[in-house]
Amino acid sequence: MSLYRKIVLLRGLLTLGLSLHAEEERHAKKRVAAVYPALARKMHISGTVRMELNVDPEGEVKEVTVLKGHALLRDAAVSAAKQWVFTKTPTKSVEVIELDFHQE
């Protein structure tokens, strides 16, 4: 096979890979806001909780791992994240979300 044909074939495979990746991108169909914990509010604690969600093909969150965030905000964030629903895809995925807690 000539070098030119190899390049054309490789370019086609890369384009196909990018297209497949774009089709599997998931969007949240249902987002649940976290309830600000009373103790955190009383102590004027605010911030962001970053989480990794394991989502099944049907779009349901199966597991939540906290990546960062204040300890007093984590449980509320995890509770809300478990109720999120994502679009369906042929395979499971890992999504990263952030929930913000700020007093008004």
Side-chain angles (χ1 to χ4, degrees):
M1 182 182 292
S2 72
L3 180 58
Y4 176 77
R5 290 190 75 193
K6 288 179 183 177
I7 291 171
V8 170
L9 179 62
L10 182 58
R11 185 179 298 159
L13 290 174
L14 288 174
T15 303
L16 177 62
L18 292 174
S19 297
L20 289 175
H21 184 292
E23 290 174 10
E24 293 179 14
E25 186 176 328
R26 296 184 102 155
H27 299 283
K29 292 187 337 184
K30 176 184 172 189
R31 297 173 189 235
V32 175
V35 176
Y36 210 128
L39 181 59
R41 185 180 298 278
K42 184 176 180 179
M43 295 177 66
H44 303 286
I45 294 171
S46 62
T48 300
V49 178
R50 184 177 176 95
M51 297 166 285
E52 183 178 87
L53 312 179
N54 288 322
V55 183
D56 72 7
E58 294 298 311
E60 293 181 25
V61 176
K62 294 300 181 183
E63 186 179 338
V64 178
T65 303
V66 175
L67 302 175
K68 74 172 197 169
H70 194 284
L72 289 179
L73 303 174
R74 289 178 176 204
D75 287 345
V78 168
S79 179
K82 286 182 177 179
Q83 298 176 62
W84 282 40
V85 178
F86 290 83
T87 55
K88 294 181 181 182
T89 60
T91 60
K92 58 185 178 179
S93 67
V94 176
E95 307 298 324
V96 176
I97 66 167
E98 292 183 346
L99 295 181
D100 295 318
F101 294 85
H102 296 287
Q103 294 188 26
E104 297 176 6

